[in-house]
Amino acid sequence: MDREEYSFIGRSIPRVDARSKVTGEASYTADLKLPRMLVGKILRSPYPHAKIINIDTSKACALRGVHAVVTGKDTAGEKWGVFRYTRDQQLLCVDKVRYVGDEVAAVAAVDEDTALEALRLIQVEYEELPAVFDCRSAIAPDAPLIHDDYQRNINVAVKIDVGDVDSAFKNSALVREDTFVAEEDSYFMTEPYAVVANSGSDGSIEVWMPNASPHTKAKALSNALKLPLSKVNVRKITIGGAFGGRSDVFPAEFITCLLSIKSQRPVKVIYTREENSIATRMGHAMITTIKTGVDKDGVVLGRDIVSWLDGGAYSSTGPIATSVPFLCHEQTYRMDNVRFHGYRICTNKPVRGMIRIHGRSFACGIDTQLDMIAQELGIDPVTIRLKNARRAGETTPTGSYVSSCGLIECVEKSAEATNFLAKFKNASPERGIGMGMNSVQTGFPLGIRGGSQAFIKFHEDGGATVISGVVDNGQGNDNMLVQIAAEELGLPPDDIRLISADTEVTPTDAGSYSMISTFGGGNAVKSAAADAKAQLFEVASELLEADPEDLIAKNRKIFVRGAPDAGISIARVVRKALILGRPIMGKGSFSPQVDQRREWISNPKGQLSQAFSFGATVAEVEVDTETGQVKALEVTCAQDCGFALNPIVVEGQFEGGVAMGGQGGMLGEEHRWHNGHVLNPSMLEYKIPIIKDMPEIKPIIVETIDPAGPYGAKEAGMSVAMSAAQAYCNAVGSALGIYFNHYPLTPERILDAIENKKTGIVTAWEFEPATKIEVETSPKGSK
Amino acid sequence: MKKQLLSMNVNDETIEVAVEASASLLEVLRDELGYIGVKEGCSEGACGACTVLMDGRPVRSCLTLALEAEGSSITTIEGLASGGQLHPIQQAFVDRGAVQCGFCTPGMILSAKALLDHNPNPSDEEIKDALAGNFCRCTGYAKILDAVCSLRPASSSKPGR
Ligand code: FES
Ligand code: FES
């Protein structure tokens, strides 16, 4: 079908959830109020590493107004991990604490003051242990072990080796090795984390919390609480941003449920901003050493990469987090020979997860080094990228077939729109320009089996209700589902109600991590709508005396192609179907075609994701060489999103990606530390971009119509967030003639690099490389 | 703790409520009076999610003592739409795609309202100054700027002035 024939798809129509958000009606977790609800508070470890000798809760229990106190004793040491082989986080610490903030005990009381007083009355006896705060000291032979079974504190070791890298280096005209370092960054979604749990006398429990996958949360809670899945009901709630930081399961959910079960009353836990920073997830710090060999034209012949990720105290999404920076890279760049050793290393710091620009040191390192190689060979940054960029119809080194890819177009369009080459040649502190490119997945298997399913039911007035497990974190998934159903059913979005992300009612869905929602959930709703439509056409064909094949649903009517005026209303068809005893009930599902044998550690090969999005971003900046301040002037971002289901929403994703990935992610966002304590957990000290920081952003939407995406759509904006970080980095670099290798580029770092500017094509700083580590017993991946 | 009687006008309604002397305006509006559109993002004056208008001026309700509101008129996001009709700023936010997760939206709209009420034709810079205290993590602010610019007189309804 041509774009012009679509009624709703491909058009910038307002989001269905916008109205309730501008009026303040939209209810987020902290807004919930239930009768007799208690306030829950969590006691956290003050030490980065310590043995728990004893916990005495008697005084807290005796305090008036306290209804429940829980400790590790109430949990039987129950542990959480995304995979069976990474189950290493006790939901309440029993024997040991591993970071400042680890959950030790919790209380539920009539009000906040009483709850806080009760926390003060809990006496915990600790025996402090030596702690480690960075990768290098954590892997030292004599370092204290954070978990007994992670030798040298290596939590995850991923190894990928394709082709013959050593021969490729021998055949290369130029080989470079450089090391890139990035510090920890954080999500700072505007809504602080919160949980409400309400236990029922029938042994069921309802839970509300910002989440990226209600079904994953329900599964984890059902396991930990030993309740049947049907009795753990994670409810729909408006969510104030995620960016990867709501994907995992957190102890707080489990603790709030325990408190509610114990007190037999609803309990609400609202995290302080500080707790949101330290006790949900944050981004990994990372050291990446990249060795690249190219021929004389700049074509990459081989790469050997070693990454060390500082994972903090527990596994979280460890195997995935360790692999994804490499996988994004192998999707973006062609190369026949490549080796990757990724190590996620435990330290006594908060737990790290995947963030919107996960792997800054990896992605920015690749692109910075590419610019260095180009400079050495006398090629420009655009040409060297075009020579190495992925194309459709190719297969990545680890075996993912790329069915659609508009990367070349993204590079060409963004270069042309910015007049890149001329500006690059004349780069100066007044105007530096840089380009980055990247690619992300549209979903990979994690935890929930079987993709996404959807149901559609009809009302007698012709309206419909769509039921889907997809969750909306703020990116617009609810609208995406409604828009797709509207298109398919020929109903205006206003006629469609959506029930989503409530595990009691909605069928399973993988969750909105790994950029899968449009591709997976969108496809499921599309197929449910197609099923409903086929049933409608079946009945309508009898009324219209026409072949169902010739029918069209549009503007609330069903008619024979070419004869819209002779149509009948969908409402009439729905009623007729009821009379005939053939009520319209659409159902659909979608499971992405990926290689189910692929495993992150034990078998990292095969189709990872069914489709991939690609993006290229160009940033233009001005650098004040006196102060080290960078002002972004203009950012142009091009992304192949497959098909823009709603262009204004897609642009919004691009713009948000530039803010978080480039502006914040490359110019200032990082955590500072003292002995395992985060020095800047609050919004006053951790600087996220404000409106005055933002440059003008020029979005370029590239469409390649993926064969399997709904209407050809893939995902929107994620490869922009990543490539924006790379573009900003290279733009500052070109402004100063410096190759930066320590991120983010704070004024202090920029001034230091200017002061100690080196000659020749070298990185600004020399770091000890990340090296291969021999380990015998890193956890084995298993199905 | 002893409570004191606070009387103020909230969204054109006269309200009397007993509050503790230490209670913030945010707590009273959200917890006592149920105006959940007043969001709490940081509780330390950084994010602007809790912005309400006090006698037309934007204030951070998390840093404002409830008793400071004695005798004043408070506008929360719930007070903008009337008779099912969105306020033009709300409508512009909807139409221009300025809303994603929506957590910053009430504060952002109220800051914009305070600006436009006394300066109906602000420059881009004036808009950015007025919204500089409202964090948004989702949008990159581009569509928010678009939305506010669209409310300027027709000749300058796009950013770039
Ligand atoms: S909650 Fe008041 S400024 Fe953040
Ligand atoms: S829309 Fe999410 S913080 Fe602004």
Side-chain angles (χ1 to χ4, degrees):
Chain A
M1 217 200 240
D2 277 350
R3 186 180 197 116
E4 291 69 50
E5 286 179 44
Y6 293 135
S7 306
F8 306 109
I9 288 300
R11 294 180 197 277
S12 290
I13 53 178
R15 282 170 50 163
V16 295
D17 55 335
R19 193 183 169 94
S20 73
K21 288 175 174 172
V22 298
T23 56
E25 279 162 74
S27 168
Y28 299 71
T29 304
D31 301 332
L32 290 173
K33 241 185 188 169
L34 298 173
R36 305 188 328 127
M37 188 157 75
L38 301 172
V39 174
K41 285 278 168 196
I42 296 172
L43 184 69
R44 302 182 177 281
S45 164
Y47 299 111
H49 200 188
K51 260 192 209 154
I52 298 175
I53 306 296
N54 186 43
I55 305 179
D56 179 358
T57 60
S58 53
K59 284 198 188 122
C61 291
L63 185 69
R64 220 168 91 180
V66 171
H67 285 256
V69 179
V70 293
T71 67
K73 278 202 192 112
D74 299 274
T75 70
E78 195 66 47
K79 287 178 184 174
W80 159 253
V82 174
F83 303 96
R84 199 177 300 272
Y85 61 91
T86 59
R87 229 165 255 177
D88 61 9
Q89 182 173 19
Q90 284 173 342
L91 294 163
L92 267 164
C93 298
V94 175
D95 45 359
K96 204 164 131 161
V97 289
R98 294 177 172 88
Y99 77 96
V100 176
D102 226 345
E103 287 84 0
V104 175
V107 303
V110 285
D111 56 31
E112 187 173 348
D113 287 346
T114 312
L116 289 171
E117 178 59 25
L119 285 193
R120 272 188 290 274
L121 292 174
I122 298 176
Q123 285 165 344
V124 188
E125 202 184 316
Y126 294 102
E127 179 190 319
E128 267 192 85
L129 297 168
V132 283
F133 304 119
D134 64 84
C135 290
R136 215 169 280 280
S137 21
I139 58 170
D142 55 349
L145 281 190
I146 299 170
H147 296 267
D148 292 343
D149 41 358
Y150 298 158
Q151 229 188 68
R152 297 183 66 187
N153 289 313
I154 303 209
N155 160 234
V156 168
V158 171
K159 185 181 173 202
I160 288 165
D161 194 350
V162 180
D164 183 347
V165 174
D166 299 316
S167 306
F169 286 152
K170 277 193 206 113
N171 298 330
S172 293
L174 172 67
V175 179
R176 290 199 63 96
E177 182 183 304
D178 301 285
T179 295
F180 302 86
V181 175
E183 307 300 332
E184 290 93 348
D185 43 358
S186 258
Y187 308 92
F188 280 91
M189 47 296 260
T190 46
E191 178 199 18
Y193 194 70
V195 194
V196 171
N198 184 24
S199 66
S201 54
D202 60 350
S204 69
I205 190 145
E206 327 176 76
V207 200
W208 296 259
M209 81 292 253
N211 69 80
S213 174
H215 292 276
T216 307
K217 297 271 195 191
K219 246 174 95 171
L221 284 172
S222 140
N223 284 337
L225 297 166
K226 316 238 175 318
L227 287 176
L229 203 41
S230 61
K231 287 194 165 174
V232 179
N233 300 318
V234 175
R235 300 288 187 212
K236 163 95 171 181
I237 191 79
T238 313
I239 295 169
F243 317 113
R246 301 293 187 225
S247 305
D248 210 343
V249 168
F250 307 129
E253 287 128 45
F254 175 71
I255 291 169
T256 313
C257 288
L258 275 186
L259 289 170
S260 175
I261 291 168
K262 214 167 175 179
S263 63
Q264 280 299 300
R265 287 172 69 155
V267 176
K268 172 154 79 178
V269 170
I270 304 177
Y271 271 22
T272 62
R273 179 49 66 181
E274 180 176 12
E275 281 179 299
N276 190 72
S277 297
I278 62 167
T280 58
R281 292 290 179 263
M282 61 173 59
H284 293 73
M286 197 168 171
I287 309 173
T288 303
T289 297
I290 304 166
K291 186 172 175 187
T292 303
V294 294
D295 71 10
K296 61 177 189 353
D297 300 320
V299 175
V300 174
L301 300 180
R303 266 206 179 110
D304 192 358
I305 305 162
V306 183
S307 283
W308 292 357
L309 291 86
D310 180 342
Y314 299 106
S315 278
S316 179
T317 50
I320 306 174
T322 311
S323 310
V324 160
F326 171 80
L327 297 170
C328 293
H329 153 253
E330 69 148 21
Q331 290 154 211
T332 315
Y333 288 105
R334 308 200 276 194
M335 71 213 108
D336 293 329
N337 309 293
V338 65
R339 194 154 53 205
F340 171 59
H341 285 84
Y343 304 94
R344 190 173 183 277
I345 297 160
C346 280
T347 60
N348 294 109
K349 284 153 95 183
V351 193
R352 281 75 200 278
M354 307 265 285
I355 191 165
R356 204 167 185 182
I357 37 159
H358 176 60
R360 282 187 291 187
S361 85
F362 196 118
C364 296
I366 292 284
D367 266 48
T368 299
Q369 193 188 54
L370 206 65
D371 278 4
M372 299 171 85
I373 291 170
Q375 180 74 19
E376 273 192 69
L377 296 175
I379 315 175
D380 65 76
V382 178
T383 307
I384 198 162
R385 283 178 177 73
L386 289 175
K387 274 187 206 273
N388 290 291
R390 175 71 54 215
R391 283 148 172 89
E394 296 174 350
T395 300
T396 68
T398 65
S400 288
Y401 178 74
V402 177
S403 49
S404 66
C405 173
L407 185 53
I408 297 281
E409 200 181 330
C410 291
V411 172
E412 284 174 347
K413 283 196 164 153
S414 56
E416 202 186 293
T418 53
N419 197 8
F420 186 95
L421 289 180
K423 286 184 187 159
F424 183 77
K425 230 181 263 154
N426 300 314
S428 69
E430 287 74 46
R431 198 160 193 115
I433 187 165
M435 178 184 277
M437 62 189 209
N438 219 313
S439 163
V440 299
Q441 305 77 28
T442 57
F444 38 69
L446 185 155
I448 292 285
R449 298 176 185 91
S452 187
Q453 303 101 48
F455 301 122
I456 293 181
K457 72 163 201 167
F458 272 85
H459 304 276
E460 278 190 64
D461 62 359
T465 296
V466 174
I467 304 165
S468 154
V470 170
V471 65
D472 191 328
N473 293 142
Q475 68 276 71
N477 284 340
D478 283 0
N479 184 73
M480 177 268 298
L481 300 175
V482 170
Q483 217 175 324
I484 287 177
E487 183 66 45
E488 211 56 30
L489 296 169
L491 291 173
D494 261 356
D495 287 11
I496 294 177
R497 294 283 297 177
L498 175 71
I499 295 179
S500 64
D502 178 317
T503 62
E504 185 170 34
V505 185
T506 60
T508 58
D509 172 78
S512 77
Y513 57 80
S514 79
M515 292 67 70
I516 194 176
S517 293
T518 299
F519 198 81
N523 258 327
V525 165
K526 187 168 183 277
S527 88
D531 181 43
K533 188 163 71 175
Q535 296 171 34
L536 287 168
F537 284 1
E538 207 46 57
V539 175
S541 70
E542 292 161 25
L543 294 170
L544 287 165
E545 293 174 23
D547 195 328
E549 306 263 288
D550 298 331
L551 295 181
I552 299 230
K554 212 176 176 117
N555 298 331
R556 300 193 174 111
K557 288 204 301 200
I558 293 172
F559 51 86
V560 179
R561 190 182 304 273
D565 295 338
I568 46 172
S569 74
I570 289 179
R572 205 178 128 202
V573 180
V574 168
R575 289 195 291 265
K576 181 77 185 172
L578 284 170
I579 292 165
L580 293 171
R582 285 151 48 193
I584 311 296
M585 296 186 287
K587 65 180 197 326
S589 71
F590 184 81
S591 264
Q593 300 210 331
V594 296
D595 190 337
Q596 297 292 344
R597 289 162 308 183
R598 187 172 178 130
E599 205 288 329
W600 299 96
I601 297 176
S602 61
N603 187 37
K605 53 180 187 281
Q607 192 76 30
L608 169 71
S609 179
Q610 195 172 350
F612 304 94
S613 78
F614 298 87
T617 299
V618 172
E620 297 174 60
V621 302
E622 179 189 316
V623 187
D624 183 331
T625 51
E626 298 287 302
T627 62
Q629 296 280 353
V630 177
K631 183 172 164 41
L633 303 168
E634 206 172 290
V635 175
T636 306
C637 34
Q639 192 206 14
D640 160 23
C641 59
F643 175 74
L645 293 171
N646 187 330
I648 202 172
V649 170
V650 172
E651 284 175 14
Q653 289 303 308
F654 287 15
E655 291 152 357
V658 170
M660 193 162 176
Q663 188 68 36
M666 191 37 60
L667 296 186
E669 292 190 28
E670 74 177 299
H671 278 305
R672 286 175 284 108
W673 301 90
H674 179 70
N675 288 342
H677 291 262
V678 186
L679 298 179
N680 56 346
S682 79
M683 280 176 149
L684 280 176
E685 294 134 344
Y686 183 101
K687 298 284 180 216
I688 69 169
I690 59 170
I691 191 168
K692 286 166 81 92
D693 298 329
M694 292 306 296
E696 192 183 341
I697 300 172
K698 299 193 166 151
I700 300 174
I701 293 174
V702 170
E703 298 183 321
T704 50
I705 314 296
D706 185 81
Y711 306 95
K714 296 193 278 194
E715 71 85 35
M718 190 59 192
S719 41
V720 167
M722 315 256 302
S723 55
Q726 299 157 268
Y728 268 71
C729 169
N730 289 340
V732 178
S734 86
L736 300 171
I738 294 173
Y739 296 100
F740 284 96
N741 59 334
H742 192 183
Y743 315 123
L745 304 181
T746 56
E748 301 77 55
R749 286 197 186 106
I750 289 175
L751 286 181
D752 181 66
I754 293 175
E755 222 161 89
N756 302 300
K757 189 168 171 176
K758 306 205 175 71
T759 47
I761 301 168
V762 290
T763 52
W765 298 278
E766 256 175 66
F767 292 110
E768 246 185 275
T771 49
K772 283 159 215 168
I773 312 170
E774 292 312 323
V775 264
E776 282 143 37
T777 54
S778 89
K780 300 272 180 297
S782 57
K783 293 307 289 185
Chain B
M1 211 190 276
K2 244 187 87 202
K3 293 196 170 183
Q4 273 171 269
L5 203 61
L6 160 68
S7 68
M8 57 183 174
N9 180 295
V10 182
N11 300 335
D12 286 335
E13 201 183 317
T14 309
I15 284 179
E16 290 207 338
V17 54
V19 302
E20 281 176 12
S22 62
S24 68
L25 182 58
L26 172 89
E27 286 167 319
V28 171
L29 289 171
R30 269 183 70 82
D31 303 341
E32 305 288 328
L33 303 175
Y35 292 105
I36 59 162
V38 187
K39 296 293 176 222
E40 183 166 17
C42 69
S43 333
E44 57 178 11
C47 73
C50 64
T51 303
V52 298
L53 304 185
M54 187 190 272
D55 297 326
R57 277 183 312 109
V59 296
R60 293 172 185 248
S61 61
C62 70
L63 292 187
T64 307
L65 285 177
L67 290 174
E68 288 177 58
E70 175 64 37
S72 66
S73 283
I74 302 292
T75 307
T76 74
I77 194 69
E78 286 90 346
L80 257 60
S82 69
Q85 196 70 25
L86 293 183
H87 183 281
I89 306 177
Q90 293 174 311
Q91 192 62 52
F93 269 59
V94 171
D95 293 343
R96 303 278 164 159
V99 180
Q100 290 191 25
C101 82
F103 200 81
C104 71
T105 307
M108 200 70 86
I109 289 178
L110 288 166
S111 290
K113 181 170 191 302
L115 168 71
L116 293 169
D117 282 350
H118 79 265
N119 179 4
N121 192 12
S123 67
D124 287 9
E125 271 328 295
E126 287 169 324
I127 296 173
K128 290 182 183 179
D129 282 340
L131 301 183
N134 292 84
F135 290 177
C136 175
R137 195 56 157 163
C138 302
T139 64
Y141 304 101
K143 302 272 182 266
I144 292 173
L145 182 64
D146 261 11
V148 181
C149 287
S150 76
L151 297 160
R152 294 193 296 220
S155 56
S156 59
S157 62
K158 288 215 172 69
R161 193 183 67 93

